[in-house]
Amino acid sequence: MDAPWFVYLPLIFALYIFTKHFFHKLRNLPPAPLLNLPCIGHLYLLKKPLYRSLAKISDRYGPVLLLQLGSRRVLLVSSPSAAEECLTKHDVIFANRPQLLAGKHLGYNYTSLVWTSYGDHWRNLRKISSIEILSSQRLQMLQGIRVDEVKSTIRALNRASEQRRMVDMQKAFFELTMNVVMRMIAGKRYYRENVEEVEEGRRFREIVKDTLLLDPSNMGDFLPAIRWLGVGGVEKGLVELQRKRDAFMQELVEGCKRRFKSCGGGDGGDGDVVAEGKTKTMIEMLLALQAKEPEY
């Protein structure tokens, strides 16, 4: 009497693992954990928090590993010398960004600086960022904002100390960072005291909260079937979040144009939005660049 088919499953599985390992060695790929499961690969090894999980994998299997995370291959490098080699000698090979779902919706279809792949477009964005927006001269112009916000945080901590109140330092530093960033970008603060536009501040804090609640390890990026089936509604959440972010930032840009016009800056067209040499925020700097290069 023939044995049932499921009796042969362990043998088939062992043959699958052996074959995968054999071809891995044959192609001279970096070492990988032996158990590479069908469909999910090495995803079973990952747990939260991710950085600790990856550290444990490196400690167990070695400083340079090739992981198969669902449909994506991921090179895990934890050795300083190997990381230096990847980021210097072979930097162009590793320069591209993975096309994740967040980059599609939050990165304007992979065209923003964080998400775009290496090439002319990326080089141009990097030049604008390093020379025009984040240069030493520009940052020095905005030093007063950083000093002011640090003093404000110290005063808030001092008041809490006098009142013997508990202070959440993580929250305090987060609010300090967000106020510095938004004052440099748009000239507005949205946390703690002296928030000029209460409703606008509430909307901004809501957007930040929604962004932080997003799960960066979206399984649909590694298992396409989940995305195709629409499981979890992650993509809908990203689309809605980007709609809110876009609307909010567009209002900041239009507000900057109106302020310039009210100060006698002309008819408010893009060509004369910001007077050369008088920019104060990063939005104004970008509008000045747009006036110089309207075709880009």
Side-chain angles (χ1 to χ4, degrees), residues 55-115:
K56 288 180 180 178
I57 294 171
S58 293
D59 290 341
R60 182 175 179 182
Y61 295 104
V64 180
L65 292 171
L66 185 64
L67 301 178
Q68 186 71 43
L69 303 184
S71 61
R72 295 179 182 273
R73 283 182 175 174
V74 175
L75 185 67
L76 175 59
V77 178
S78 57
S79 159
S81 59
E84 182 180 7
E85 185 172 348
C86 290
L87 299 174
T88 54
K89 184 178 179 181
H90 302 292
D91 58 333
V92 175
I93 297 174
F94 295 102
N96 283 339
R97 273 70 163 174
Q99 293 202 341
L100 305 181
L101 197 60
K104 176 182 177 181
H105 296 292
L106 304 184
Y108 297 94
N109 201 27
Y110 314 108
T111 58
S112 67
L113 178 61
V114 175
W115 292 102

Side-chain angles (χ1 to χ4, degrees), residues 147-161:
V147 172
D148 187 41
E149 287 301 327
V150 169
K151 287 181 178 179
S152 174
T153 300
I154 292 173
R155 287 195 297 269
L157 295 176
N158 188 50
R159 286 196 299 271
S161 176

